[in-house]
Amino acid sequence: MLRPSGGATANRLFKGAAYGCGMLILAVLAAVAAFLLIRAWPAIAGPREATDVVIASFTGGRFTTFLQYVGPLLFGSVLVAALALAMAFFVAIGIAIFISQYAPRRLASGLNVVVDLLAAIPSVVYGLWGGLVLVPAISPFWDWVCRHFGWIPIFAGPASNPPRTVASVAVVLAVMILPIITSMTRDVFMQTPRLHEEAALALGATKWEMIKLAVLPFGRSGIISASMLGLGRALGETMAVLMILSPGFNYSFNLLKASQNQTIAANIAAQYAEANNLGVSVLIATGLVLFVITFLVNYLARRLTDRKVTS
């Protein structure tokens, strides 16, 4: 059977367009990396004395070198993001399983809309909610945690009041990334082959055993990808952290005390308005560090996902 006359041309055009779209994302990534490197270069390769003076002004004279400055910021970014992911992960998986496996069709449709709407809320709104509603309301709970679990170093007291702490920020970020992880894992769970589910049930598995044997293994790569996407969102979050967290430059795991940690993104937003040209370069250099860390996290997640798929 002969092909239509325009079939070969359309095929080449579509292939070229798809190839161009794939290259475009690489070009954008390279452009962002080049921009960060160029703007950060004065702080990286410029006069050390001038850079040290700027860093000392940012930290009140506490630190004078870039590594001293960026280390606590990177530590705070990773700590806050990891806590948020730990809080949101199992809740998101539970919601996704409920929507895809247990909820009636009408209820599942309504929950899907709610989850998607939550994912679309701007971060500044979460920051306002966290600062004006959550922080005052959660203070008694942190006091209770400190009284009963203060023997654990991360919950050592006294708990700050108001609790503008890493723990409170982590709760807000967990709420922010919860719909992202839920949405992706829900879609993956709903793609589980029906025959796999029916085979597990036919062998005598209960509903939970079927989910454990068929749904969760099928969606493992999707769970990892969703989690890393949520982690990346938490690592780069700015406004919510800036509006809630009382900043500090410590390597501290104490979650209930204020003025212990700060994140790179929030620090850039806080310092940018009053920074001179070299100060902006220093801040962009910290952003470059965050860019590299986020890229490495997602790269490792992709390698792990590919390994799970191939195995």
Side-chain angles (χ1 to χ4, degrees):
M1 181 177 180
L2 296 177
R3 291 183 177 182
S5 58
T9 302
N11 185 57
R12 286 195 298 269
L13 290 175
F14 181 78
K15 180 181 179 181
Y19 186 85
C21 291
M23 293 299 102
L24 177 63
I25 189 62
L26 295 178
V28 171
L29 180 64
V32 171
F35 163 79
L36 292 174
L37 186 59
I38 292 170
R39 292 299 303 271
W41 193 251
I44 297 173
R48 290 285 68 158
E49 295 79 7
T51 302
D52 293 346
V53 170
V54 170
I55 292 174
S57 69
F58 284 161
T59 61
R62 183 174 178 182
F63 302 130
T64 58
T65 67
F66 181 75
L67 290 179
Q68 291 176 333
Y69 179 55
V70 76
L73 296 175
L74 181 59
F75 175 85
S77 299
V78 174
L79 176 63
V80 171
L83 285 173
L85 180 61
M87 292 180 184
F89 178 78
F90 294 103
V91 178
I93 299 303
I95 296 173
I97 290 175
F98 176 75
I99 292 175
S100 62
Q101 301 296 325
Y102 289 99
R105 186 179 299 273
R106 286 188 177 181
L107 179 59
S109 299
L111 289 175
N112 287 333
V113 173
V114 171
V115 169
D116 293 339
L117 287 177
L118 286 174
I121 295 177
S123 60
V124 68
V125 175
Y126 281 111
L128 288 171
W129 167 76
L132 299 178
V133 178
L134 180 67
V135 167
I138 206 171
S139 182
F141 175 72
W142 294 140
D143 290 335
W144 179 87
V145 171
C146 184
R147 286 197 306 271
H148 291 83
F149 300 98
W151 52 274
I152 303 175
I154 62 174
F155 298 131
S160 298
N161 189 11
R164 296 187 175 277
T165 61
V166 167
S168 299
V169 172
V171 172
V172 174
L173 294 187
V175 175
M176 291 180 63
I177 67 176
L178 181 67
I180 298 174
I181 302 175
T182 301
S183 179
M184 291 187 64
T185 52
R186 171 204 64 197
D187 293 341
V188 173
F189 289 162
M190 294 182 70
Q191 297 302 317
T192 305
R194 186 65 180 171
L195 289 177
H196 292 186
E197 299 178 1
E198 293 176 349
L201 294 173
L203 292 173
T206 63
K207 184 75 170 181
W208 161 240
E209 290 172 336
M210 180 273 292
I211 293 172
K212 183 172 65 174
L213 295 173
V215 177
L216 292 178
F218 178 82
R220 187 177 301 163
S221 61
I223 293 173
I224 296 174
S225 298
S227 301
M228 292 305 101
L229 183 62
L231 180 62
R233 170 74 185 273
L235 280 171
E237 179 51 41
T238 303
M239 290 308 300
V241 180
L242 182 65
M243 298 169 70
I244 299 171
L245 183 63
S246 177
F249 289 90
N250 300 318
Y251 292 95
S252 173
F253 285 98
N254 197 310
L255 307 182
L256 303 182
K257 290 184 178 180
S259 303
Q260 298 296 307
N261 306 103
Q262 176 67 306
T263 68
I264 291 177
N267 182 70
I268 292 174
Q271 302 284 1
Y272 183 84
E274 299 180 358
N276 57 22
N277 290 335
L278 184 57
V280 171
S281 296
V282 171
L283 295 176
I284 292 178
T286 63
L288 178 62
V289 173
L290 180 61
F291 176 83
V292 172
I293 294 300
T294 305
F295 180 82
L296 290 176
V297 168
N298 284 276
Y299 174 76
L300 293 176
R302 176 54 54 189
R303 291 294 300 271
L304 182 61
T305 301
D306 293 341
R307 185 179 304 174
K308 292 293 184 181
V309 171
T310 56
S311 61

